[in-house]
Every structure is written in structure tokens, then in C-alpha cells.
Amino acid sequence: MRRIGVGYRRELHDWLIGKPAGVQSLEITAEHFFSLDAAAQQVLNTLSELYPTFVHGLGLSLGTPGPLRQDHLEKFATVADWANAEWVSEHVSFTRSSQVDLGHLNPILYGPDSLEILIEHVLEVAEKCHRKLILENVTSSIRFESAMSETDFLNQLCERAQCGLLLDVTNLFINSQNHHFDPVKWLYEIAPTNIVQLHVVGYSKIGDTYHDHHAVPVQDELLDLIRAVDHYADIQAVTLERDERLDRIDEIELDLARLAAVEQAQATDDA
Amino acid sequence: MMHDQDPPHPDVFPLGFVDLLARILSDPSALDQLQSQPEEFFDEFHLTPAERQAVLALDQHSLNAQANILFEKRWHEIKKLIPLTLQNSDQNLKDAFDFYATKFWPTDYRRHLADAFKFLQFLEQNEIAIPHKSEKRNLKRALK
């Protein structure tokens, strides 16, 4: 069953505690709970009793060569336990080097060396968390001339590291527009069994460039892309990933309803 | 460059592709050097031929765009945390931020709080603007 849900944000807490219709799952951002104090544990316990949850990391920097930061990994695993997460997720990217922490998801070069680094890190995180790890595609202004295509890299990574994909439909669409490729063709190059969860949120556009500001409702083109994914893969969850204008519950509820309608149509087709 | 943790010694972990990319995204002078003197710039890093080629193939526009995202994201979050300081200053503090942001990169998981607090300290120490007392106090409390 495809469970529709949202990314948990403190501004949405009171609304979510009320169990609004249309929210069937919650994604927890791990770093938001790294205080690991009694209050954090209480919130996570409460949320996990109300919703199936998934824990999403931002700062493990799986694409950075060398050992993972163990203090960060420990906290990540603890949040996953406290949230009783069904799975955990991170990104195919790096956020830090040995010299600087950029605090933002940056692209990696798709090749044999980076593949081995990712595989090693994925296996370590999955073992530490005792849960499946799924990996998200990121947006980037940079498009490297790589030895491997992005889709080939992701397929090999999933197969060899026994992980799955968190397909960010918005990120895929943004990259396809900024770098001029067909997102559906990209989708069909991914093995469908790899796709576990989707992220979606409205994109922003400044001039001719598309951005992921996580601030506006989902556009029709993104729903079309979700329909294409729905026909292709057996997805377990769809998460609306809103970070800005969180006072607009009306917009969030409308987006959830539209996502539910897409899933209902697919369920009817499947029957 | 200030940061909260010492980097590993370069003899233990040679600087590689990710280090190079992070350097040019975080330091405008490094990006300039890459573009004006690429071979000298590469000397500091251990790159495979494929990695070297991938860097040389990058266009300045896309690199600048990716770097701008990093800095604009930090500014966006800081603005939310110190609106009164920004409002009370008779200067546009974005220029001050642009300078400060290349010198300090927070590493704490509460990075935006740390960034805002460090920026207030920078403004105060360099007599650019006076931090709003409640904003400075709240950030200091939140970072304990």
C-alpha cells in the first residue's frame, strides 16, 4: 500500500498530533532530533505511535571518502530506534570534505571509485541502524562528465549494497529541466524494484532555472511524473517534503488530497 | 578558514576529488585559481585522470551556480534567525555576510544557529552592526 505522508516539521506538530486525514506516514529528519534529550525521545515516541515513520538523514555525507563520522552515525541510529523507523534514508551526495563542512548536498562523480565508497558506507549505516537504507537523488547545478550514467550508478549501488532508492521526483524534474534530459526515460533506466519511496514538493523557477526551495504546492508536471512512477514501480510511500510556508496547512492538505487521488487511480488500475 | 574540528593530516588522507570540489565551492579565490592556473591548483590534490578531466570539463557558470546555492542557503536561514539585527542596521549586511561566509563554515548539527551566532559576533567584533540583544541571547542559549 502506498502511504502518503509529510516530512515532520515542528511547525506542523499540533496539526499532526490531531491525526489529519490524508497523512498516513511521517518522515523524520534525523538531525532535527540530535539533541537526544528526553523531549526529543518523547516527541519521537508519540509520533511513532500515531504514524508509520521513516528517518531521513542530511549530514552523513556518504559520498565522502574515508570513515563516516561515528558520533553522527550513532545519533542517526538512535533517532531511528526512538522513532521505530521502518527504514532509514540518506543521499547519493557529499556534504563535507576532510577540510570543510558545506552543509549542503553536493553531487558526486559517478565512477568505480565513488561506487565503492558509497557501497561501503551504505552497508555500514544499514548494519548500524539494523534497517534498510534507501538513497535519494539530489539536485545539482553541476553535471559531471562521468564514467557511468547516474542511472547505471544507482542500479549497481542498489544491487551491490542491498539498498533501495528514495526517488525525489521534484529533484529529478528540476535536473531534467536544467540539464535538458527526459525524466521519464531516466526513470525507465532505473530497475523498478529499487524504488521504495518518493519525495515530492513544488519546484521554484527563477528566470530559466529551476530550484528546489521546498516552498510551494506541487505542480501538475510533478503529478504526471508520479503517475509514470506509479505505473512502473511498486512504491511503498510518498512523502510531501515541504520546508517553507508551513503555516499554509490548506496548501499542504490540498497537495495530500491530490497525491491521494493519483494513488487511488493507480490502485484502481492495479485491481 | 575557521572550523570547529581540525582536519586530518594530509599525509594520512590525501586530498582528493571531493576535497577539491568542496574547496572551489566554498572559496571564491580557489575557484579563480582553478580557472587561471589549473595545473598549479591540481598539484595539491591526488586526482585520477578521469577526475582531472571531469573538473576541467566543468563550466564556470555551473560551478558559480552551485557555490551560490551554498551561500544563499546560509543567508536565507540566518535572515530568519536575526531579523531584528538586520532591520536595525543602517547598512545592507548582505555584503558583510558574503565576506564572513567564506571565512567560517559551521560544523555543528545546529549549523544555522551556529552560523547566525558567529555572524553576530563577526558584526560586533568588526564594528559593522550591533546585534539585537535578544537575538544574540536566544542563539547563545539555544547553542548550549
Side-chain angles (χ1 to χ4, degrees), chain A residues 40-113:
Chain A
Q41 188 170 22
Q42 178 63 45
V43 170
L44 291 173
N45 286 346
T46 300
L47 294 174
S48 68
E49 287 171 2
L50 292 174
Y51 299 100
T53 64
F54 326 117
V55 167
H56 185 57
L58 301 176
L60 276 171
S61 199
L62 301 182
T64 301
L68 294 174
R69 286 200 167 146
Q70 292 303 303
D71 58 339
H72 197 115
L73 180 55
E74 285 280 349
K75 290 178 179 173
F76 183 76
T78 300
V79 172
D81 282 342
W82 287 2
N84 196 25
E86 289 193 19
W87 60 73
V88 293
S89 57
E90 251 284 1
H91 301 81
V92 182
S93 76
F94 76 94
T95 57
R96 62 172 179 83
S97 70
S98 65
Q99 297 184 315
V100 62
D101 187 340
L102 300 177
H104 181 79
L105 304 162
N106 297 287
I108 60 172
L109 187 62
Y110 300 125
D113 292 343

Side-chain angles (χ1 to χ4, degrees), chain B residues 7 25 37 42 67 79 89-90 109-110 127:
Chain B
L25 291 177
Q37 299 169 308
F42 283 145
K79 281 195 298 183
S89 172
D90 58 2
Y109 70 89
R110 301 161 295 185
E127 299 179 347

Side-chain angles (χ1 to χ4, degrees), chain B residues 14-139:
Chain B
L15 300 181
F17 180 82
V18 165
D19 297 294
L20 182 150
L21 192 58
R23 175 84 62 83
I24 60 179
L25 291 177
S26 62
D27 184 352
S29 67
L31 183 54
D32 289 342
Q33 189 189 7
L34 170 65
Q35 283 154 352
S36 61
Q37 299 169 308
E39 293 307 318
E40 283 188 31
F41 187 76
F42 283 145
D43 279 347
E44 188 180 351
F45 302 94
H46 290 68
L47 302 179
T48 66
E51 289 169 341
R52 182 180 289 238
Q53 180 55 37
V55 174
L56 289 172
L58 291 173
D59 65 278
Q60 182 174 357
H61 173 76
S62 64
L63 280 170
N64 284 337
Q66 187 72 12
N68 281 342
I69 288 171
L70 272 57
F71 288 103
E72 290 303 314
K73 177 177 173 178
R74 290 174 64 187
W75 178 239
H76 177 75
E77 296 297 332
I78 280 180
K79 281 195 298 183
K80 288 194 277 188
L81 293 168
I82 57 168
L84 297 174
T85 300
L86 299 178
Q87 182 183 301
N88 291 347
S89 172
D90 58 2
Q91 295 184 56
N92 181 343
L93 297 181
K94 178 61 163 58
D95 290 340
F97 171 79
D98 287 343
F99 178 80
Y100 149 84
T102 64
K103 307 301 180 190
F104 175 79
W105 288 82
T107 58
D108 193 285
Y109 70 89
R110 301 161 295 185
R111 59 184 306 107
H112 299 307
L113 297 175
D115 213 4
F117 186 70
K118 283 283 190 179
F119 182 51
L120 288 183
Q121 289 183 317
F122 169 82
L123 292 174
E124 197 166 28
Q125 288 162 6
N126 291 280
E127 299 179 347
I128 298 171
I130 301 172
H132 194 278
K133 281 185 181 170
S134 68
E135 289 180 343
K136 189 177 177 185
R137 183 179 58 241
N138 291 341
L139 285 169

Side-chain angles (χ1 to χ4, degrees), chain A residues 164-178:
Chain A
L165 290 182
L166 194 174
L167 176 56
D168 192 306
V169 168
T170 307
N171 289 350
L172 171 58
F173 180 81
I174 287 170
N175 283 344
S176 75
Q177 300 305 296
N178 290 337

